[in-house]
């Protein structure tokens, strides 16, 4: 059963889309297991740039792509993505789990209204309706794709829209009004359009693995945004960590062979919440500009800082990582002396782990490393760049399988394949 979960080890935006796309060249299936249209995965090949929010990143390689039950799907965004890739001559080759929940326009309005009502306690949500869709799921009145296929949704959609209207008026006290009949018509339209894509993702993946085909489980966001194990409440509404692949697809943990953690060569974060190594100076600004650190979905500038290896150790433990893919190493070129956080000072002692509660009070303990003006020496990494990679491996006791040295698919050093 050759399979690998590919997860973000930081706060998302680590470059998972490129890593999934690269590994998918030798895979048969790519399965997205959580999140929604708040994800932004960018894939760059020689002749195109593809930005995806819902369709798994393996679509450019022509492989079968699936959206699992753990994903909340904005069908209007998904249809737009399908139209865009098919206009470029790319087959969607997509299956959507009938158990996946649907994000409708009233979820987006609730998300935006909730965020505005928080005043000083804002989360930094993308306002794409993800949290409210998961809330409906947990309250057991969400709408699933299977119900669209069976035309069993109209009464519940009308009820949900009316509940949202009462909430806008009585609780949030905002001037918003949802037309229930408009929501019903949207469901009719998207149901007709997406009907051919809906199927049993759990059964399809199980069959693929039993027959020896290669499967990638693709996570969105990152470990530190996990609803249970991240910097709560400044987190996403699902489980991006490796365990989420099991529940989000419908497979057992014994069906996973490897867990590859994607780690940016420095740290970034979007939205609010603690960030121990954040830089508020010209170095942080240079990382932002050189790395193109602006959100794929929102365009928001990302907060930037030095690489935090305490975070990577934590991600190793939470996900059971077996290896790393290091991205954006090229962005550090020409920066001069580099710093890497190897521990924290917290409560009068030095710790080499993450205290999720109280992270804002942690002081980074840095190790200084030589920088480089040229990333490569011939066809290999230069001495300083190679030493940077080796230090990461030593500190977190994990091998680095892949090193990304630029945005394009072929700008990747493969030291060991996840399929070997």
């Amino acid at each position: 059963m050759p399979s690998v979960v590919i997860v973000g080890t930081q706060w998302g935006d680590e470059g998972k889309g490129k890593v999934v796309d690269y590994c998918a060249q030798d895979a048969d299936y790519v399965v997205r297991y959580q999140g929604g249209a708040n994800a932004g995965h960018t894939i760059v090949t020689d002749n195109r740039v593809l930005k995806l929010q819902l369709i798994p990143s393996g679509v450019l390689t022509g492989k079968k792509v699936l959206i699992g039950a753990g994903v909340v799907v904005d069908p209007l965004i998904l249809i737009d993505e399908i139209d865009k890739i098919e206009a470029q001559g790319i087959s969607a080759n997509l299956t959507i789990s009938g158990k996946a929940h649907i994000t409708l326009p009233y979820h987006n309005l609730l998300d935006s209204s909730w965020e505005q009502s928080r005043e000083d306690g804002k989360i930094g949500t993308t306002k794409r309706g993800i949290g409210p869709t998961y809330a409906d799921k947990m309250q057991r009145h969400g709408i699933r794709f299977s119900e669209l296929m069976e035309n069993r949704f109209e009464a519940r959609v009308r009820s949900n829209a009316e509940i949202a209207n009462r909430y806008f008026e009585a609780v949030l006290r905002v001037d918003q009004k949802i037309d229930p009949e408009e929501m019903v018509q949207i469901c009719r339209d998207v149901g007709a359009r997406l009907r051919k894509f809906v199927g049993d993702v759990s059964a399809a993946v199980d069959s693929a693995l039993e027959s020896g085909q290669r499967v990638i489980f693709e996570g969105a966001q990152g470990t530190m945004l996990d609803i249970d194990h991240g910097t709560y409440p400044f987190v996403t509404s699902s489980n991006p960590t490796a365990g989420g692949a099991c529940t989000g697809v419908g497979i057992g943990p014994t069906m996973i062979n490897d867990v590859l953690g994607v780690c940016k060569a420095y740290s970034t974060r979007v939205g609010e919440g603690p960030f121990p190594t954040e830089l508020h100076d010209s170095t942080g600004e240079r990382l932002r500009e050189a790395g193109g650190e602006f959100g794929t979905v929102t365009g928001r500038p990302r907060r930037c800082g030095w690489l935090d290896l305490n975070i990577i150790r934590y991600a190793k433990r939470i996900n059971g990582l077996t290896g790393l893919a290091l991205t954006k190493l090229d962005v550090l070129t020409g920066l001069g002396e580099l710093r890497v956080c190897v521990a924290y000072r917290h409560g009068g002692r030095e710790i080499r782990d993450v205290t999720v509660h109280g992270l804002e009070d942690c002081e980074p303990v840095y190790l200084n490393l030589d920088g480089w003006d040229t990333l490569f020496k011939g066809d290999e990494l230069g001495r300083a760049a190679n030493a940077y990679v080796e230090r990461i491996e030593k500190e977190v006791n994990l091998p680095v399988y892949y090193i990304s040295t630029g945005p394009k698919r072929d700008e990747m050093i493969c030291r060991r394949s996840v399929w070997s």
Side-chain angles (χ1 to χ4, degrees), residues 11 16 30 43 45 49 119 122 136-137 220 271 274 277 279 330 346 362 369 374 396 405:
W11 284 277
K16 296 180 293 298
V30 180
I43 304 163
T45 60
V49 176
E119 298 179 353
K122 293 189 185 329
D136 276 4
K137 176 179 179 177
T277 64
L279 294 168
D330 54 299
H346 183 264
C362 290
L369 297 171
T374 303
V396 301
T405 60

Side-chain angles (χ1 to χ4, degrees), residues 330-390:
D330 54 299
V331 173
L332 301 180
T333 300
L335 209 58
E337 186 176 63
L338 305 174
R339 308 187 83 190
V340 174
C341 173
V342 294
Y344 299 142
R345 289 190 184 91
H346 183 264
R349 61 193 181 94
E350 191 170 294
I351 58 174
R352 293 170 66 84
D353 198 353
V354 168
T355 167
V356 172
H357 303 290
L359 192 60
E360 63 275 6
D361 299 320
C362 290
E363 178 188 351
V365 176
Y366 286 112
L367 176 70
N368 294 337
L369 297 171
D370 291 339
W372 55 86
D373 292 322
T374 303
L375 184 58
F376 288 96
K377 184 177 182 181
D379 294 330
E380 298 181 349
L381 288 179
R383 178 196 59 80
N386 195 59
Y388 190 85
V389 175
E390 289 179 347

Side-chain angles (χ1 to χ4, degrees), residues 35 68-75 96-103 107 133-134 136-138 140-145 147 156:
V71 182
V72 293
V73 180
D74 186 321
I96 309 163
S97 172
K99 298 175 183 177
H101 281 247
I102 294 169
T103 298
H107 291 116
T133 310
Y134 277 116
D136 276 4
K137 176 179 179 177
M138 297 305 172
R140 297 175 295 283
H141 58 77
I143 310 296
R144 304 202 295 183
F145 270 94
E147 293 167 282
R156 198 181 314 160

Side-chain angles (χ1 to χ4, degrees), residues 87-276:
Q88 296 183 48
I90 305 166
S91 171
N93 203 14
L94 172 69
T95 299
I96 309 163
S97 172
K99 298 175 183 177
H101 281 247
I102 294 169
T103 298
L104 289 168
Y106 60 80
H107 291 116
N108 300 59
L109 290 173
L110 282 168
D111 202 1
S112 179
S113 298
W114 285 350
E115 183 74 350
Q116 291 172 11
S117 72
R118 289 186 178 106
E119 298 179 353
D120 294 335
K122 293 189 185 329
I123 302 298
T125 171
T126 60
K127 303 176 185 176
R128 294 299 175 110
I130 310 304
T133 310
Y134 277 116
D136 276 4
K137 176 179 179 177
M138 297 305 172
Q139 291 170 350
R140 297 175 295 283
H141 58 77
I143 310 296
R144 304 202 295 183
F145 270 94
S146 60
E147 293 167 282
L148 293 191
M149 301 306 100
E150 298 164 8
N151 294 319
R152 292 191 290 107
F153 60 86
E154 294 190 11
R156 198 181 314 160
V157 169
R158 290 189 181 98
S159 174
N160 287 355
E162 293 294 352
I163 290 170
N165 284 335
R166 291 197 294 272
Y167 195 84
F168 286 136
E169 180 180 1
V171 179
L172 296 175
R173 300 184 184 279
V174 294
D175 185 21
Q176 295 281 9
K177 192 75 173 177
I178 299 295
D179 180 355
E181 296 311 311
E182 181 184 352
M183 297 301 105
V184 168
Q185 189 58 50
I186 287 173
C187 288
R188 289 189 187 125
D189 293 343
V190 300
R193 175 66 194 279
L194 296 174
R195 179 181 300 274
K196 67 179 181 180
F197 296 107
V198 177
D200 190 332
V201 166
S202 172
V205 172
D206 180 72
S207 177
L209 290 173
E210 288 291 345
S211 64
Q213 293 181 289
R214 293 172 171 177
V215 179
I216 294 172
F217 301 102
E218 177 183 17
Q221 292 86 45
T223 299
M224 299 307 292
L225 295 179
D226 186 276
I227 186 69
D228 294 310
H229 302 291
T231 52
Y232 190 88
F234 304 102
V235 292
T236 194
S237 305
S238 59
N239 295 107
T241 43
C246 296
T247 55
V249 175
I251 57 161
T254 57
M255 301 175 81
I256 295 171
N257 296 115
D258 282 291
V259 183
L260 182 69
V262 184
C263 167
K264 196 179 286 184
Y266 49 98
S267 300
T268 62
R269 176 166 199 169
V270 171
E272 307 302 320
F275 184 1

